C-alpha cells in the first residue's frame, strides 16, 4: 500500500533528503503536499517531479511567484500562509508528515499533524522545546505515531527496548548518552570565539545543514534543544542524559543499561538514514547511504562538553528545569540572537549572553493552552529585539 506524505520544509536539507529517499521508492511513497518559505525555484522543480496535490509557501508573494513559474499543465494547487500549512499536515488523505520546518514556525502545522493522528516524523525539535507537554498530549489524544528524525533521537529510539514505555527503571536503563560533534569551534577559547564570523559558524565539519541549525551546532544550543526534546520524547530529566562530544559523528547516540551494556547506533553522518527509518518503521529500506567502513574511521574519540566556553547547553538545562514557558523563551531568544549574529549585528560570543539576559527577565508561567506558548514566544522576541545590541529601538517590556 502506498503511503502518502506531506513534507513541511521541503526546500531545506531535511526536506530534500526526504525527497531523495522517496525518489528511491516510488512503489511505497507518494508526495501529497510540499511546503517552503521562499524557495520558488527549488519548489518548482520538486513540483514538476513529484506532482503533489498541494504546494504551500509561507509568504503570499512567494506563492504568487511559484504559481507563475509552474508549467501550464501543472495541476498542483498553490496556497500560502499558516492555515494552509496546518491543512496539508492534517488532511484526511495524508498518512505521514515530515515536520522539517526550522524554528518556531514549525510548531502549528506539526501540532496539527499530531492532533490528526498522523505518523509524525519529527525533525522540528522546536515543537517539543516550546510546547512539550501540549505536544505530547496531542500525540496521545490524537493517536499519532511519533518518530524522531534528528539523528541523535532516532539513534536513541533504535537503542531503546522495542516496548519502551517511558520507565527507565522498568527497562533497566541507567542513562541516555547524547552525542555531539562539538561543532566547528570545538576546543576554541572564549577569546577565539570573539572573532568568529558567520561564514565560519555555518561551516559544520560533518553535517550539511541550514544556517540556523549550523550556528546552533556551533554554540552547542542545538545540543541543548536536543536535550530538552529528548526529555519529552523519552520521559526523562536532564540528569538522566549525559552529553558526549564525539567529533567523528559516527556514533549518533547511545543508551546505557544497568547491567553494564551500552547499546549504540552507528552510521554515516547522513540524514537519509534516520529519515528512511522513520518512513519505513518498523521495517528498513534502502536510504542511498554508503555503508560504514570502520577500518577507514580507525578511531572514535569522546570528551565532555565545555559548558563554560559554550554556555548554551547549560542554559537549555536551566530552561527545562524551570519548566512552563521558559523553554519557549529560550528558543525564541535564541532565534533572535542567531539572526542578529548572521546579520553581523552581534558577536558570536554574545549569543548566549543575549539569551541569558532574556531568560533572567522572564517570569515563568504554566502552559495550559497553546496561547500561553505563543505569548511567551512573542514576549521573548520583543525582549531580545529590545536589547541595544540587536540594533533595534528599546520597547516597553
Amino acid at each position: 500500500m502506498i503511503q502518502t506524505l506531506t513534507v513541511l520544509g521541503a526546500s531545506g536539507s531535511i526536506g530534500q533528503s526526504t525527497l531523495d529517499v522517496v525518489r528511491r521508492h516510488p512503489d511505497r511513497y507518494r508526495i501529497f503536499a510540499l511546503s517552503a518559505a521562499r524557495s520558488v525555484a527549488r519548489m518548482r522543480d520538486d513540483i514538476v517531479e513529484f506532482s503533489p496535490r498541494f504546494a504551500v509557501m509561507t509568504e503570499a508573494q512567494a506563492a504568487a511567484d511559484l504559481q507563475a513559474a509552474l508549467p501550464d499543465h501543472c495541476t498542483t494547487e498553490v496556497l500560502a500562509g499558516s492555515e494552509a500549512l496546518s491543512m496539508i499536515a492534517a488532511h484526511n488523505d495524508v498518512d505521514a508528515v515530515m515536520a522539517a520546518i526550522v524554528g518556531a514556525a514549525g510548531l502549528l502545522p506539526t501540532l496539527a499533524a499530531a492532533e490528526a493522528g498522523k505518523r509524525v516524523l519529527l525533525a522540528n525539535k522546536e515543537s517539543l522545546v516550546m510546547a512539550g507537554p501540549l505536544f505530547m498530549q496531542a500525540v496521545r489524544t490524537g493517536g499519532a505515531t511519533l518518530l524522531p528524525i534528528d539523528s541523535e533521537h532516532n539513534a536513541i529510539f533504535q537503542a531503546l527496548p522495542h516496548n519502551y514505555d517511558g520507565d527507565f527503571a522498568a527497562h533497566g536503563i541507567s542513562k541516555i548518552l547524547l552525542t555531539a560533534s562539538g561543532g566547528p569551534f570545538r576546543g576554541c577559547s572564549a577569546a577565539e570565539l570573539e572573532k568568529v564570523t558567520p561564514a565560519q559558524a555555518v561551516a559544520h565539519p560533518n553535517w550539511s545543514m541550514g544556517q540556523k541549525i549550523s550556528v546552533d551546532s556551533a554554540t552547542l544550543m542545538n545540543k541543548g534543544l536536543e536535550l530538552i526534546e529528548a526529555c519529552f520524547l523519552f520521559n526523562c530529566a536532564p540528569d538522566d542524559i549525559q552529553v558526549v562530544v564525539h567529533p567523528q559523528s559516527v556514533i549518533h547516540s547511545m543508551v546505557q543499561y544497568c547491567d553494564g551494556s551500552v547499546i549504540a547506533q552507528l552510521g554515516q553522518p547522513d540524514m537519509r538514514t534516520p529519515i528512511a527509518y522513520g518512513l519505513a518503521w518498523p521495517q528498513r529500506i534502502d536510504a542511498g547511504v554508503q555503508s560504514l567502513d570502520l577500518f577507514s574511521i580507525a578511531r572514535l574519540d569522546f570528551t565532555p562538553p565545555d559548558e563554560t566556553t559554550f554556555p548554551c547547553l547549560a542554559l537549555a538545562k536551566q530552561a527545562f528545569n524551570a519548566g512552563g514557558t521558559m523553554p519557549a523563551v529560550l528558543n525564541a531568544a535564541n532565534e533572535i540572537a542567531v539572526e542578529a549574529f548572521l546579520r553581523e549585528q552581534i558577536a558570536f560570543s554574545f549569543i548566549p549572553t543575549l539569551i541569558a539576559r532574556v531568560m533572567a527577565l522572564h517570569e515563568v508561567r504554566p502552559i495550559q493552552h497553546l496561547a500561553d506558548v505563543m505569548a511567551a514566544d512573542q514576549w521573548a522576541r520583543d525582549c531580545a529585539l529590545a536589547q541595544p545590541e540587536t540594533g533595534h529601538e528599546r520597547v516597553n517590556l
Side-chain angles (χ1 to χ4, degrees):
M1 184 174 179
I2 292 180
Q3 185 178 161
T4 57
L5 178 66
T6 285
V7 183
L8 301 172
S11 62
S13 60
I14 299 294
Q16 289 298 298
S17 293
T18 301
L19 293 179
D20 186 69
V21 175
V22 168
R23 187 180 290 119
R24 297 169 187 275
H25 301 277
D27 58 327
R28 297 184 63 118
Y29 306 106
R30 178 174 63 84
I31 298 299
F32 176 81
L34 301 172
S35 87
R38 296 174 295 276
S39 302
V40 172
R42 179 71 270 170
M43 281 285 279
R44 178 197 178 281
D45 292 346
D46 290 338
I47 288 169
V48 169
E49 178 179 0
F50 292 99
S51 300
R53 182 170 168 185
F54 295 102
V56 177
M57 305 299 283
T58 304
E59 300 178 2
Q61 184 58 55
D65 293 342
L66 176 60
Q67 185 69 70
L70 291 175
D72 293 338
H73 59 80
C74 181
T75 60
T76 298
E77 185 175 352
V78 179
L79 303 172
S82 59
E83 290 186 6
L85 285 174
S86 293
M87 182 275 290
I88 63 171
H91 198 284
N92 287 338
D93 292 340
V94 172
D95 297 315
V97 176
M98 171 57 73
I101 296 176
V102 176
L107 172 59
L108 293 181
T110 307
L111 188 61
E115 292 171 339
K118 305 303 181 184
R119 171 179 288 217
V120 181
L121 310 179
L122 188 66
N124 169 262
K125 60 181 67 67
E126 289 83 3
S127 295
L128 279 174
V129 171
M130 294 176 66
L134 292 181
F135 188 85
M136 295 306 293
Q137 183 60 43
V139 169
R140 290 188 291 269
T141 58
T145 299
L146 181 61
L147 298 170
I149 299 302
D150 274 345
S151 61
E152 295 84 357
H153 303 94
N154 190 271
I156 295 164
F157 182 74
Q158 293 189 50
L160 285 169
H162 73 279
N163 61 341
Y164 177 69
D165 58 3
D167 189 335
F168 266 40
H171 295 278
I173 299 168
S174 297
K175 68 173 66 173
I176 286 171
L177 301 172
L178 183 67
T179 61
S181 69
F185 309 125
R186 178 176 53 87
C188 289
S189 66
E192 290 172 317
L193 295 183
E194 294 280 352
K195 304 172 184 177
V196 164
T197 67
Q200 292 171 324
V202 301
H204 195 281
N206 299 333
W207 295 93
S208 175
M209 304 183 293
Q211 286 192 325
K212 195 268 181 182
I213 298 177
S214 295
V215 174
D216 282 349
S217 178
T219 64
L220 289 193
M221 178 56 85
N222 193 49
K223 205 52 50 180
L225 299 178
E226 288 177 0
L227 184 144
I228 294 174
E229 182 182 8
C231 288
F232 286 116
L233 282 171
F234 307 118
N235 190 38
C236 59
D239 287 345
D240 297 319
I241 302 173
Q242 181 178 353
V243 175
V244 179
V245 175
H246 167 51
Q248 289 88 0
S249 295
V250 170
I251 295 178
H252 298 302
S253 275
M254 299 166 272
V255 176
Q256 180 174 302
Y257 290 85
C258 63
D259 62 0
S261 299
V262 176
I263 297 180
Q265 187 266 338
L266 287 71
Q268 298 283 1
D270 190 319
M271 286 304 299
R272 290 177 297 176
T273 295
I275 288 168
Y277 188 75
L279 283 170
W281 180 84
Q283 299 176 329
R284 293 182 185 267
I285 57 174
D286 173 41
V289 178
Q290 183 179 0
S291 297
L292 192 64
D293 181 358
L294 292 175
F295 298 112
S296 66
I297 295 167
R299 59 179 289 174
L300 300 173
D301 297 310
F302 307 96
T303 59
D306 181 356
E307 295 187 29
T308 301
T309 307
F310 299 91
C312 284
L313 181 55
L315 289 174
K317 295 176 185 177
Q318 177 185 332
F320 181 85
N321 288 329
T325 50
M326 189 61 87
V329 167
L330 168 91
N331 179 73
N334 178 63
E335 288 191 13
I336 295 299
V338 170
E339 182 181 356
F341 165 68
L342 290 172
R343 292 180 177 178
E344 301 186 11
Q345 293 174 313
I346 65 172
F348 178 85
S349 57
F350 191 73
I351 292 175
T353 302
L354 180 59
I355 297 167
R357 188 183 295 176
V358 174
M359 289 175 62
L361 292 170
H362 182 61
E363 180 181 344
V364 179
R365 293 178 173 84
I367 293 177
Q368 297 176 326
H369 307 285
L370 184 59
D372 300 324
V373 177
M374 304 313 294
D377 175 84
Q378 190 59 57
W379 176 90
R381 292 174 191 276
D382 291 342
C383 185
L385 288 170
Q387 306 307 310
E389 293 85 357
T390 60
H392 294 258
E393 290 187 9
R394 198 165 190 80
V395 299
N396 182 12
L397 300 180

